[in-house]
Amino acid sequence: MSSLGALVSTIVEKTTTLSLLLGQQNVAQPTFTEDGHNPYQGENADLRQIRYDIVRAAQDLLRLAQGPEDQILQLAWSSADTSNFGVILQFKVAENVPFGGSVTSADLAAKVGLPEDVLLRSLRYAVGNGLFVETAPGVFAHSATSAAVARNQSLRDIALASTLEQAQMLLRLPETLALQQQKKEGAEVPYAAFNLVFPKYENIFECLAKEPELAMRYHLYMMGRVKTDRWSTANMVKSWDWANVGSKAIVDVGGSAGHTCMALAEACPEAKFIIQDVDKVALEQGRQALSSASPSLVERTSFVQHDFFQPQTVSGDIYIFRHIFHDWSDDDTVRILKALVPGLINGATILVSEGIMPEPPATRTNALDEKQILIEDMFMLAVHNGRERSVEDFVKLFKQADARYEYITTTGGTDGAFQSTVEFKFKA
Ligand SMILES: C[S@@+](CC[C@H](N)C(=O)[O-])C[C@H]1O[C@@H](n2cnc3c(N)ncnc32)[C@H](O)[C@@H]1O
C-alpha cells in the first residue's frame, strides 16, 4: 500500500542513494538552470534504476497530494500543453533564445514572426511547464528543458511530428470511434482517426507518398527516434546474437532507408543485406546514404522495392520486421506473414523488433518508460487502426498465419530500450 508517509520515506532513501551514485559516477547533480540541459549523461543501469524508483514514488505522491479532482482536470486539459509546445516548436522559439543570455519578448517576436502578445502568452504558459525562465517582466532565458529543446535536433524532430499530426489524430479518436459505432447502412465510416484528419487518403503511407512536407517531417521523426537511446538501432544489435550470421542473407522487410541494416553492418561484417520497402523515396535515400559506405558493404547490400502483402520473392536466412506489425491490424499482420511463406527456407529466422505490451492486469504507470508502450498503442490505434502487442499476441498471429512458424524467444527491451526482439523460426 502506498501512503504519503511511505512514499516520502522511499523518496528520501532513494534520493540519498542517487546523490551518492552521481558523485561516484562523476555525473553532475540535476538542476533547473540552463546548464542542466543534459543530465545523467553516461549514467549506468544502477543509476537509471534509482532515478526511476524516485520518479515512480514521486508520481504517486503527487497523485495523492493532488487528489482526483485536480488529476481529472489536468488530464482533460493536457491538450493545452501539447498545443503550447507545438507553437514553441513550430516557430523555433527555443532555437532563437540565446544560450547563456536573455532576450526580450519584442526581439524574440520579431525573430520568430509571431505577434508579440501571442508569443508572450505562449512563453508564459511554457514557463509554467518548465520551459524557459522569465528573468524580468518580458525578458526570457533558457531553463534546462528549453535548452535541451534548442540543443537537440532529434528531440525537436520527434516532438514536432508528435505535437502536430499525431496530436491531431489522437484528439479525433473519440469522434472516430463514435462514427464507427453509429455506422449506418451503406455509410462511409473512417477506418482510423487518420482518415478524419487526412480525408483525401486511404492510409498514411499513401499520404506520405503524395505530401512531401509531411513525408519529410515523418522521416525526420523516424530518424530522430533512432538517434535516441530509447529507440536506437543499437538496442537491436545488442539484443540478439549476430556473431554467427557469417555470410548469410538478412532481409529487412519494410526497412525504409536501411538504417537497421547499416547499424548491423559492424556486427555482421560478411552478411548480405537486402532492404525491401514499398516506398521508392526511402529506398533511394538509402542508396544515396550507402554510397559513402565501405566498398565491401556496398557490394553486399541491395535496396529492392517490394510490397510485403505480395508473395516474398527473396529466400533469405534472417528476416527482420522492425516497427512493421504495429502499423497493421491482426488480419493484415496475418496476411503479411502468409505472404512471407513462399520465400522461407527450412530454419529461416524471423525477428520482430517492436515494443512489447505488458501482460495484464494493467497498473498505474508512473514513469515514461512504462507508459511509452501504451502511448504508442494509442498512436497506432489513431494513425493506423493498428496496435502494439504482447509476446503472446505475436505467437497467436504467427501460428494463425502458418503452423510451421515456431516461437523461439524474446530478448532485449531492458535498461530503457523500447524494442524487444521476438524470434521465430520456420520449420518446414
Ligand atoms: C514505421 S516504418 C518502419 C521502418 C523501419 N523498419 C524502422 O524500423 O525504422 C514502416 C515502413 O513500412 C513501409 N511499408 C508500408 N507499407 C508497406 C508495404 N505494403 N510493403 C512494404 N513496405 C511497406 C513504409 O514505407 C515504412 O518504411
Side-chain angles (χ1 to χ4, degrees):
M1 281 287 283
S2 303
S3 68
L4 286 173
L7 289 166
V8 170
S9 300
T10 304
I11 292 169
V12 170
E13 183 202 321
K14 302 279 179 186
T15 309
T16 310
T17 313
L18 177 71
S19 285
L20 271 172
L21 283 177
L22 287 172
Q24 282 167 10
Q25 294 179 27
N26 252 343
V27 178
Q29 296 283 334
T31 159
F32 288 117
T33 55
E34 183 184 330
D35 51 349
H37 65 89
N38 190 11
Y40 311 122
Q41 203 177 15
E43 69 177 353
N44 65 10
D46 290 347
L47 201 152
R48 190 182 165 83
Q49 175 68 40
I50 294 284
R51 268 196 318 113
Y52 271 83
D53 288 347
I54 296 170
V55 170
R56 280 186 206 99
Q59 187 65 43
D60 266 350
L61 183 67
L62 203 66
R63 284 189 174 129
L64 288 180
Q66 279 183 320
E69 184 175 319
D70 281 13
Q71 285 174 54
I72 289 165
L73 293 176
Q74 218 164 25
L75 278 175
W77 294 336
S78 58
S79 58
D81 289 344
T82 307
S83 161
N84 173 260
F85 192 31
V87 170
I88 299 297
L89 290 163
Q90 183 145 18
F91 289 89
K92 301 189 188 325
V93 177
E95 296 94 304
N96 280 288
V97 171
F99 295 120
S102 59
V103 61
T104 64
S105 54
D107 284 351
L108 194 52
K111 281 187 181 159
V112 303
L114 274 173
E116 188 185 347
D117 172 61
V118 173
L119 176 68
L120 196 50
R121 288 155 63 194
S122 303
L123 276 168
R124 286 182 173 149
Y125 186 100
V127 169
N129 272 339
L131 289 160
F132 312 107
V133 282
E134 189 167 4
T135 54
V139 181
F140 293 87
H142 274 303
S143 66
T145 310
S146 64
V149 173
R151 287 180 186 278
N152 192 328
Q153 170 86 46
S154 307
L155 268 185
R156 280 206 304 277
D157 289 340
I158 297 167
L160 192 63
S162 303
T163 54
L164 296 182
E165 288 82 23
Q166 279 181 354
Q168 286 181 54
M169 293 182 231
L170 283 168
L171 281 178
R172 298 201 71 177
L173 186 56
E175 188 187 345
T176 305
L177 297 178
L179 286 168
Q180 289 171 349
Q181 187 188 46
Q182 295 150 15
K183 181 177 167 47
K184 303 206 176 67
E185 197 74 18
E188 283 251 326
V189 292
Y191 178 70
F194 163 86
N195 303 97
L196 284 187
V197 179
F198 297 101
K200 276 199 290 181
Y201 303 108
E202 199 170 311
N203 63 44
I204 191 162
F205 299 115
E206 184 198 339
C207 168
L208 294 176
K210 297 196 178 134
E211 301 278 348
E213 197 189 320
L214 273 183
M216 164 98 87
R217 206 150 47 227
Y218 176 82
H219 288 304
L220 286 173
Y221 165 81
M222 282 296 170
M223 281 188 318
R225 283 169 46 126
V226 171
K227 286 183 194 148
T228 66
D229 290 345
R230 274 193 163 78
W231 289 287
S232 169
T233 39
N235 296 328
M236 183 161 181
V237 181
K238 275 189 272 176
S239 73
W240 201 69
D241 183 14
W242 301 95
N244 300 320
V245 167
S247 59
K248 288 180 178 159
I250 300 177
V251 187
D252 189 5
V253 188
S256 185
H259 42 268
T260 303
C261 289
M262 296 305 107
L264 289 172
E266 205 177 311
C268 309
E270 291 163 31
K272 288 183 208 65
F273 295 108
I274 299 121
I275 295 118
Q276 298 182 326
D277 205 286
V278 79
D279 183 346
K280 284 189 201 159
V281 177
L283 292 171
E284 194 44 44
Q285 274 176 2
R287 282 188 198 104
Q288 279 173 22
L290 180 72
S291 59
S292 55
S294 72
S296 149
L297 184 58
V298 173
E299 199 184 309
R300 289 180 286 118
T301 305
S302 52
F303 289 87
V304 182
Q305 196 180 23
H306 173 68
D307 176 351
F308 49 52
F309 287 104
Q310 299 305 315
Q312 179 57 261
T313 49
V314 176
S315 278
D317 301 285
I318 298 163
Y319 294 82
I320 299 172
F321 287 85
R322 187 174 181 276
H323 281 181
I324 299 300
F325 295 127
H326 68 176
D327 292 344
W328 302 94
S329 66
D330 285 355
D331 286 350
D332 284 335
T333 299
V334 169
R335 280 175 59 212
I336 296 169
L337 287 169
K338 277 183 192 284
L340 182 63
V341 171
L344 294 177
I345 52 170
N346 184 31
T349 298
I350 301 97
L351 300 176
V352 179
S353 176
E354 299 253 19
I356 295 295
M357 284 293 262
E359 296 297 340
T363 53
R364 276 193 309 284
T365 48
N366 287 4
L368 188 59
D369 275 9
E370 296 157 1
K371 190 160 185 178
Q372 198 185 340
I373 184 72
L374 304 175
I375 295 172
E376 298 254 353
D377 189 44
M378 291 299 109
F379 282 164
M380 293 307 136
L381 180 59
V383 180
H384 304 283
N385 205 346
R387 64 187 312 133
E388 299 293 350
R389 296 180 172 90
S390 66
V391 173
E392 210 176 295
D393 293 333
F394 279 117
V395 174
K396 224 167 74 193
L397 294 180
F398 271 74
K399 281 288 176 199
Q400 199 180 322
D402 196 303
R404 291 168 291 177
Y405 283 120
E406 271 189 24
Y407 170 66
I408 305 296
T409 187
T410 301
T411 48
T414 53
D415 296 336
F418 176 66
Q419 298 100 331
S420 298
T421 301
V422 189
E423 179 180 348
F424 289 84
K425 276 208 183 290
F426 188 73
K427 300 274 173 72

